[in-house]
Amino acid sequence: MISKRMALTLAILLIGGCQQSATDAQNPTRLEFPRPERTVSAVGDTEFSTESARDEAGEAEYVMDWAGIQLGTTVADIGAGEGYYTIRLADRVGPKGRVLAQDINRGALNRLGERVTREQLDNVAIKEGAVDDPRLPENSFDRIFMVHMYHEIEEPYAFLWRMRPALAKGGQVIVVDRDRMTHQHGIPPKLLFCEFEAVGYRLTGFTEQLKLGGYIARFEVNGERPAPSTIRTCASRYPQS
């Protein structure tokens, strides 16, 4: 017999399978938003490094501590891939917390769904997103994680604009990335700060750490969400060479 948890996980994945692939179509309203006017990294391997190597460096523990993840926290793991952070977040937030693993790679989500079922993680749900819309429920998350994936977002202004309502009161976005040009699987910090600011966020924390292979930044909502037509792009102010 199939377990209740397995049935739920399979239902989530089957619902996603009945929808058009997020990589096949973008939201037509993306045309309301400015283009990033910068190069975008090609989508890379869904495994940033081996899990054992990352654990040995203390990566996830450091990021979760820095982000204030505790029992009962609700977290969206954007670009979850094979689930390195999803699995560790599920353990950290406990049975009263919730983790939503999101990605645009359906194959990765299928594999993660199998792992979630195998490890009986009852506090994890899975959702397929789009390149210009994370498709997150509103007012739902204390933290949104974006780990080594922001530089792959093709429509950052539309994506961040649509992501903003998903934060609960006092919620924070945690970004881990490298200080590299955007076509080299990274993004210069000043450019990252500018793109978030353009859509109504403010930087509230930043640090560079060797164990992360880059830096970590924290953002919160700031003021009203701007109209898409008023968003000022950042590439001209922070040109890359």
Side-chain angles (χ1 to χ4, degrees), residues 23 40-49 54 79-82 103-109 111 131 147-154 177-178 180 182-186:
T23 58
V40 177
S41 293
V43 177
D45 196 324
T46 54
E47 291 189 39
F48 170 69
S49 180
R54 298 173 81 173
E82 306 295 329
D103 208 295
I104 64 172
N105 185 322
R106 186 174 294 169
L109 289 181
R111 292 188 295 274
V131 296
V147 181
H148 292 298
M149 58 74 63
Y150 183 82
H151 52 265
E152 296 178 356
I153 297 175
E154 297 177 20
D177 221 311
R178 298 184 181 99
R180 297 179 180 174
T182 52
H183 66 281
Q184 297 176 324
H185 292 279

Side-chain angles (χ1 to χ4, degrees), residues 48 53-63 65 84-85 148 176 208-215:
F48 170 69
R54 298 173 81 173
D55 282 343
E56 186 175 348
E59 177 189 334
E61 290 299 316
Y62 177 84
V63 173
D65 288 346
Y84 174 74
Y85 271 90
H148 292 298
V176 178
E208 294 182 280
Q209 286 290 327
L210 291 176
K211 67 181 65 181
L212 302 178
Y215 60 80

Side-chain angles (χ1 to χ4, degrees), residues 5 89-91 93-100 121-125:
R5 174 60 202 170
L89 284 165
D91 181 65
V93 304
K96 293 185 178 181
R98 292 292 181 268
V99 179
L100 177 63
L121 301 177
D122 295 332
N123 57 353
V124 174

Side-chain angles (χ1 to χ4, degrees), residues 145-193:
F145 272 37
M146 307 177 79
V147 181
H148 292 298
M149 58 74 63
Y150 183 82
H151 52 265
E152 296 178 356
I153 297 175
E154 297 177 20
E155 303 280 352
Y157 300 110
F159 194 96
L160 294 177
W161 192 89
R162 294 189 174 110
M163 185 178 79
R164 205 180 109 141
L167 288 168
K169 184 177 180 180
Q172 300 173 347
V173 181
I174 307 298
V175 178
V176 178
D177 221 311
R178 298 184 181 99
D179 185 0
R180 297 179 180 174
M181 298 300 100
T182 52
H183 66 281
Q184 297 176 324
H185 292 279
I187 183 168
K190 287 186 178 180
L191 180 55
L192 176 77
F193 304 161

Side-chain angles (χ1 to χ4, degrees), residues 3 41 56 70 99 111 117 128 159 202 211 224 240:
S3 69
S41 293
E56 186 175 348
Q70 56 190 342
V99 179
R111 292 188 295 274
T117 298
E128 185 175 2
F159 194 96
R202 64 186 178 94
K211 67 181 65 181
E224 297 296 321
Q240 301 184 69

